[in-house]
């Protein structure tokens, strides 16, 4: 990846809906050059996909929680598959230590959050959970 690829990637990471024409004007190259670079980065796996980032109006209404999960080691792959199928699960990380995984979830209400936590607790192979409901976000470097 050269400097132009890095610039295109950074621009798309900030706003994936930016048109190739706009990127071409910004970086003083042809639109077709930008398009070819993006397609090459997609084929090589540098760009894995595009997504929607919820705005403040939508994310403020969601109830978020972090769930620490203890699991039987032989069941971890099946647990990951089951949790991946739950749309409320935003991210899952494996860990070292007493707990096997950290799961980030979001729901539209505390009632829905409670139901999601119940479904997580019923997944075969999960031995324990410890849930922490997020109250407010003081800062988030990922956004």
């Amino acid at each position: 990846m050269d400097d132009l690829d890095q610039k295109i990637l950074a621009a798309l990471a900030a706003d994936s809906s930016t048109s190739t024409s706009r990127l071409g004007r910004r970086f003083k190259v042809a639109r077709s050059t930008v398009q070819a670079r993006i397609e090459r980065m997609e084929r090589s796996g540098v760009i894995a996909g595009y997504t929607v980032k919820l705005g403040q109006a939508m994310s403020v209404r969601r109830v978020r929680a972090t769930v620490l999960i203890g699991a039987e080691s032989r069941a971890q792959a099946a647990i990951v598959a089951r949790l991946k199928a739950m749309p409320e699960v935003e991210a899952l990380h494996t860990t070292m230590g007493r707990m096997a995984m950290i799961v980030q979830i979001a729901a539209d209400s505390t009632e829905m959050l409670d139901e999601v936590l119940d479904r997580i607790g019923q997944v075969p192979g999960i031995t324990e959970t410890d849930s922490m409901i997020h109250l407010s976000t003081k800062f988030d470097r990922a956004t």
Side-chain angles (χ1 to χ4, degrees):
M1 286 186 25
D2 64 11
D3 188 51
L4 179 58
D5 287 340
Q6 294 283 354
K7 288 177 183 177
I8 292 169
L9 196 57
L12 290 174
D15 181 2
S16 65
S17 68
T18 305
S19 70
T20 54
S21 299
R22 178 172 282 182
L23 292 171
R25 284 191 302 274
R26 182 185 306 173
F27 302 127
K28 299 179 181 19
V29 297
R31 182 206 61 78
S32 58
T33 300
V34 172
Q35 184 64 42
R37 298 285 185 115
I38 291 171
E39 288 172 0
R40 190 187 60 202
M41 286 188 278
E42 289 171 342
R43 280 192 311 274
S44 68
V46 171
I47 296 175
Y50 302 89
T51 187
V52 172
K53 181 177 168 184
L54 295 178
Q56 184 70 12
M58 191 61 193
S59 64
V60 162
R61 298 190 328 219
R62 298 190 52 105
V63 181
R64 298 188 177 284
T66 298
V67 183
L68 303 177
I69 294 177
E72 299 168 2
S73 59
R74 69 182 190 292
Q76 287 192 19
I79 292 168
V80 170
R82 291 280 299 268
L83 295 181
K84 188 174 187 179
M86 295 181 187
E88 301 86 0
V89 174
E90 295 183 324
L92 185 151
H93 311 277
T94 56
T95 64
M96 294 290 296
R98 190 173 68 81
M99 299 300 235
M101 300 172 197
I102 300 172
V103 178
Q104 293 171 236
I105 60 176
D108 292 331
S109 66
T110 54
E111 291 82 11
M112 182 181 281
L113 180 66
D114 189 36
E115 189 251 288
V116 171
L117 292 171
D118 286 344
R119 282 190 290 150
I120 290 172
Q122 294 169 1
V123 171
I126 291 181
T127 58
E128 64 179 308
T129 62
D130 187 4
S131 305
M132 296 165 278
I133 297 174
H134 301 194
L135 298 177
S136 67
T137 301
K138 301 304 183 186
F139 70 91
D140 184 350
R141 295 189 200 283
T143 59

